[in-house]
Amino acid sequence: MKVKSRKLNKSHGWLSLILLVLMVFIGASCGSSSKKDKDKTEALTEEVQDVKEAVEDLVAQEKADIKKSIESAISDANEQLSTLEQKIKDGERKLDAKTTKLMNDIKVKRDSLSEKLSEIENQTDESWEEFKKEMEHDIQQFKSSISDFFEDNI
């Protein structure tokens, strides 16, 4: 059973509920001895397994996407910081207290994202949605900080 990942994206909770209902149905059906009921139970068990695998695949893909997004944002920031630091070193750009503070703030945010990058794989299917929302927010804030800083300083 092939389930489109976009359809599942916002339905982790519903899928959990469906799995629970199906498991209850399967449990209730187990007491029956008819061949037809056993076939239905097996079919439902297979469907539950398919849904579970689809959810796991979706979460794995989302983790990979978030990881790639973080790595890209960090790489872009490092490149831009390196360029600015080279301009400062070459005397093309002066470094004032405000710029120094902003650069340090960006580096702290970058390091924080790097730390969170290592936490991605530790997230369970249950904790993933909240973690993903937090990461998407943090990535967007980081990108915005970088954009604002370099818009004013390069």
Side-chain angles (χ1 to χ4, degrees):
M1 177 172 139
K2 183 78 175 167
V3 180
K4 298 264 185 197
S5 65
R6 293 292 171 219
K7 290 181 182 178
L8 285 175
N9 192 19
K10 296 187 179 186
S11 61
H12 290 282
W14 284 106
L15 290 174
S16 296
L17 180 61
I18 291 169
L19 289 173
L20 179 63
V21 169
L22 288 173
M23 285 200 238
V24 168
F25 177 75
I26 290 169
S29 299
C30 286
S32 176
S33 62
S34 79
K35 171 88 168 112
K36 190 175 185 180
D37 287 343
K38 286 181 182 179
D39 290 344
K40 286 181 183 179
T41 300
E42 287 175 13
L44 284 173
T45 301
E46 287 178 25
E47 286 184 38
V48 168
Q49 186 62 33
D50 289 345
V51 170
K52 181 181 175 190
E53 289 173 6
V55 169
E56 289 170 352
D57 290 345
L58 172 65
V59 170
Q61 182 60 50
E62 288 177 342
K63 286 180 180 182
D65 291 346
I66 290 288
K67 187 175 181 180
K68 184 177 179 181
S69 182
I70 291 170
E71 290 170 343
S72 175
I74 289 172
S75 177
D76 290 346
N78 286 339
E79 185 178 314
Q80 291 181 25
L81 285 169
S82 179
T83 300
L84 179 59
E85 288 168 343
Q86 187 62 46
K87 286 182 178 185
I88 292 167
K89 183 179 178 181
D90 293 344
E92 296 175 28
R93 178 80 168 85
K94 300 258 184 205
L95 188 61
D96 58 20
K98 180 181 176 186
T99 303
T100 300
K101 182 187 179 326
L102 291 172
M103 282 178 66
N104 288 335
D105 289 347
I106 287 172
K107 289 176 181 180
V108 167
K109 289 177 183 178
R110 176 199 61 199
D111 294 345
S112 175
L113 277 178
S114 290
E115 287 178 28
K116 288 183 178 181
L117 187 62
S118 65
E119 296 174 21
I120 288 176
E121 294 307 318
N122 298 331
Q123 300 303 310
T124 63
D125 291 350
E126 292 77 28
S127 67
W128 173 246
E129 282 301 314
E130 185 175 331
F131 184 82
K132 181 179 85 167
K133 286 178 187 175
E134 180 182 323
M135 289 307 303
E136 288 172 341
H137 176 264
D138 290 352
I139 292 166
Q140 185 57 41
Q141 292 288 34
F142 181 68
K143 286 180 178 180
S144 179
S145 294
I146 294 292
S147 178
D148 292 346
F149 175 77
F150 285 104
E151 202 172 88
D152 295 337
N153 290 292
I154 288 193

